[in-house]
Amino acid sequence: MAGCCGTAPRRPPRAPEGQVGVGKMAAASGLSAAPPVPPVCVLVLGMAGSGKTTFVQRLAAHLHGQRCPPYVINLDPAVHDLPFPANIDIRDTVKYKEVMKQYGLGPNGGIVTSLNLFATRFDQVMKFIEKRQNASKYVIIDTPGQIEVFTWSASGTIITEALASSFPSVVVYVMDTSRSTNPITFMSNMLYACSILYKTKLPFIVVMNKTDIIDHSFAIEWMQDFETFQDALNQETSYVSNLTRSMSLVLDEFYSSLKVVGVSAVLGTGLDDFFLQLSKAVDEYEREYRPEYERLRNTLEKAQNKQKREQLEHLWKDMGSVCVQGNTLPGYDDASAMGPSELILTRGTLEEEEEEEGESDTDDIDHEVTEESHEEPAFRNFMQEMQMKYQRSSNPNE
């Protein structure tokens, strides 16, 4: 076949077979030596209209531009059009409107039920992520617009904990900067962010979106300088300002360890700072959160093993009258490590083994001769008794 320039394409020279084998062995040893790096799961949360979906679109485009394609998951069953390609879309599994019709639910109830149905199959999503961990460095999850539906529902907790127990996971809270110029609205956003942080117990990043409309420097100043925030509150005359003033004192500790980034999802500015904070959050996960998850997992395993041992001890007590009492049974320690069903199945086997051992001790004895030696005098005595009875019956006068 001719090439695009009218000449046949030249084939590269073929390497000798020995070199090919060495190359394959080196490649195989290199692949086996380097363990796969787990991807970073980015859970994007935020109020309706804060720009979550646009932010996810900008993140996916930025990573594709760097030839590092992410693995994108959409968990919003009520979205009409996705502005980004999703590897896994909840709409392919659950039909949002059909759920509303079948169960007679409203919009929020339909989203909650759709998420609950999808959460029952989330183990398959985990397998897909594990298969793609060599190809994708980041897993970006877009959540429903109704933030409370995902944050405070059972399905949201299941999905978050499933991801966090297997992969480095970071929660990204997208905030509308243009709507947070009011100090009371700003405090409401911060309280919601604080509640999500303590609910998920994961590394947390606040993304102040829409910095192309207004710069986020005022919010940073409010978080760092208490007096500046109080001056802004003095202009508010509502009764909520007193509550906000009191809550601002409580959130000082929350502000001190909070990662904040200003981003414009439309223009794409601030993404470099975002990925810098994201790398710090991953280090924080490996340093603080993963050991905690490992500790909880080990505690759960120990509790389960303890429960199994207690059940096994109860079983031995219940079977004490049937089984061998105490530790007199040879190999008791080995048998105690078995499960209840195995103990029941091995009871007869152990007795049979004892019988076989007893029989094996007398293998050098001729059992036929022994039986004949016992049968011969018994038969002789029986014949003598029968003969005496016959003689008495035949001679009644004697």
Side-chain angles (χ1 to χ4, degrees):
M1 181 183 293
C4 59
C5 298
T7 58
R10 297 180 60 186
R11 295 182 179 178
R14 187 175 181 181
E17 294 182 359
Q19 295 181 5
V20 172
V22 173
K24 288 182 179 179
M25 291 175 62
S29 62
L31 289 175
S32 60
V37 179
V40 178
C41 296
V42 181
L43 280 162
V44 182
L45 306 176
M47 298 286 188
S50 61
K52 294 187 306 299
T53 304
T54 310
F55 177 70
V56 171
Q57 177 192 12
R58 179 58 63 181
L59 277 182
H62 180 78
L63 291 173
H64 277 288
Q66 294 185 347
R67 295 183 179 181
C68 181
Y71 197 78
V72 185
I73 301 175
N74 173 47
L75 295 181
D76 190 356
V79 65
H80 291 286
D81 298 315
L82 278 180
F84 53 84
N87 299 90
I88 296 178
D89 195 341
I90 188 176
R91 299 178 300 172
D92 298 333
T93 306
V94 183
K95 302 300 180 183
Y96 167 68
K97 292 185 178 179
E98 293 297 327
V99 171
M100 292 176 60
K101 291 179 181 178
Q102 183 175 356
Y103 295 98
L105 302 171
N108 288 344
I111 294 175
V112 171
T113 306
S114 299
L115 274 175
N116 291 340
L117 294 173
F118 187 76
T120 59
R121 302 294 181 89
F122 201 75
D123 57 331
Q124 300 179 12
V125 178
M126 298 290 291
K127 293 179 181 178
F128 287 134
I129 296 175
E130 291 175 357
K131 291 180 181 179
R132 287 295 302 272
Q133 62 182 354
N134 293 327
S136 299
K137 186 178 179 181
Y138 297 97
V139 178
I140 304 175
I141 299 110
D142 188 18
T143 57
Q146 288 75 9
I147 184 174
E148 68 279 358
V149 168
F150 183 83
T151 307
W152 302 106
S153 65
S155 55
T157 303
I158 292 172
I159 292 172
T160 303
E161 292 183 353
L163 292 171
S165 62
S166 302
F167 308 103
S169 302
V170 179
V171 176
V172 176
Y173 180 75
V174 181
M175 192 177 81
D176 190 346
T177 311
S178 60
R179 294 183 181 179
S180 300
T181 53
N182 188 319
I184 297 177
T185 307
F186 172 79
M187 180 55 62
S188 300
N189 267 306
M190 290 296 102
L191 288 174
Y192 216 113
C194 183
S195 66
I196 294 174
L197 171 63
Y198 286 103
K199 180 69 167 58
T200 58
K201 300 177 183 178
L202 289 172
F204 199 80
I205 301 176
V206 174
V207 172
M208 294 188 175
N209 195 17
K210 303 182 182 180
T211 55
D212 53 314
I213 300 176
I214 184 172
D215 191 69
H216 70 291
S217 58
F218 74 94
I220 300 294
E221 188 177 4
W222 285 354
M223 295 169 64
Q224 295 178 352
D225 191 350
F226 176 75
E227 294 181 356
T228 304
F229 185 70
Q230 294 300 318
D231 294 339
L233 275 177
N234 291 334
Q235 300 177 4
E236 298 291 334
T237 58
S238 61
Y239 71 95
V240 184
S241 61
N242 295 327
L243 176 62
T244 305
R245 187 175 291 105
S246 302
M247 294 303 299
S248 61
L249 292 172
V250 178
L251 292 179
D252 277 342
E253 184 67 24
F254 172 67
Y255 292 153
S256 61
S257 59
L258 188 63
K259 300 177 179 63
V260 182
V261 181
V263 172
S264 173
V266 175
L267 301 179
T269 57
L271 289 181
D272 294 335
D273 294 336
F274 170 75
F275 280 101
L276 179 62
Q277 296 294 335
L278 183 61
S279 63
K280 293 181 180 178
V282 173
D283 294 339
E284 181 183 354
Y285 173 87
E286 297 291 345
R287 184 177 63 255
E288 299 180 6
Y289 290 86
R290 183 180 289 277
E292 181 66 17
Y293 273 100
E294 293 294 335
R295 186 187 66 81
L296 293 175
R297 182 182 299 174
N298 294 333
T299 303
L300 179 60
E301 290 179 356
K302 289 180 180 178
Q304 292 177 349
N305 293 333
K306 182 179 178 182
Q307 184 179 5
K308 290 180 180 179
R309 287 195 300 270
E310 291 177 353
Q311 292 177 354
L312 187 59
E313 290 176 359
H314 289 308
L315 177 63
W316 275 104
K317 291 179 181 179
D318 295 339
M319 297 175 61
S321 58
V322 179
C323 299
V324 180
Q325 300 291 335
N327 295 341
T328 57
L329 180 65
Y332 172 80
D333 295 335
D334 298 335
S336 62
M338 302 178 184
S341 59
E342 295 174 344
L343 288 171
I344 295 173
L345 293 175
T346 55
R347 278 181 54 218
T349 307
L350 293 174
E351 293 175 359
E352 292 174 1
E353 290 178 355
E354 289 182 349
E355 293 176 0
E356 291 177 358
E357 290 178 356
E359 294 175 359
S360 63
D361 294 335
T362 58
D363 288 341
D364 55 343
I365 300 176
D366 191 353
H367 296 284
E368 294 182 357
V369 176
T370 305
E371 291 175 358
E372 290 179 357
S373 62
H374 287 291
E375 289 177 357
E376 185 175 353
F379 182 73
R380 188 184 305 111
N381 295 332
F382 173 76
M383 292 299 294
Q384 291 178 357
E385 291 179 0
M386 293 301 294
Q387 186 176 5
M388 292 176 63
K389 289 182 180 180
Y390 177 75
Q391 291 178 354
R392 291 174 183 174
S393 61
S394 59
N395 299 320
N397 297 328
E398 293 181 359

